[in-house]
Amino acid sequence: MTEYTVSVDLEACDGVFACLVRDGRFAEAEDGLVTLPDAERSAGRLTATFDDDEREAAEQAAAACPVDAITVHEVEP
Ligand code: SF4
């Protein structure tokens, strides 16, 4: 397993929710934008770190986002 960070630019996110069907961890927040479990939200950016084998799903969500709001980064050990 590899630790990785999923980050969403909330200023770019427009609530299309193409990401939700690719990765079930993405969910609609109360403000109509996207959220992730245990995510930190600051300066218009949502960031969550995971250590599991679901990175592929996060990459698919990132690829599906029509405004390229999602980025997935591996965390260097
Ligand atoms: S697919 Fe992109 S724009 Fe749509 S809700 Fe997800 S992050 Fe936001």
Side-chain angles (χ1 to χ4, degrees), residues 8-10 12-20 26 32-34 61 64-70:
V8 182
D9 178 352
L10 293 173
C13 173
D14 63 0
V16 177
F17 298 122
C19 50
L20 271 61
F26 287 87
L33 299 180
V34 79
C65 177
V67 295
D68 285 335
I70 305 170

Side-chain angles (χ1 to χ4, degrees), residues 43-66:
R45 186 159 282 276
L46 186 76
T47 309
T49 302
F50 300 98
D51 189 7
D52 56 29
D53 55 8
E54 299 292 315
R55 180 176 169 173
E56 180 69 28
E59 302 267 16
Q60 286 182 14
C65 177

Side-chain angles (χ1 to χ4, degrees), residues 4-8 10 19-20 23-29 33-41 46-50 58 61 70-72:
Y4 59 97
T5 298
V6 180
S7 127
V8 182
L10 293 173
C19 50
L20 271 61
D23 185 335
R25 293 171 295 184
F26 287 87
E28 183 174 358
L33 299 180
V34 79
T35 189
L36 282 162
D38 302 322
E40 287 181 18
R41 195 168 174 164
L46 186 76
T47 309
T49 302
F50 300 98
I70 305 170
T71 49
V72 181

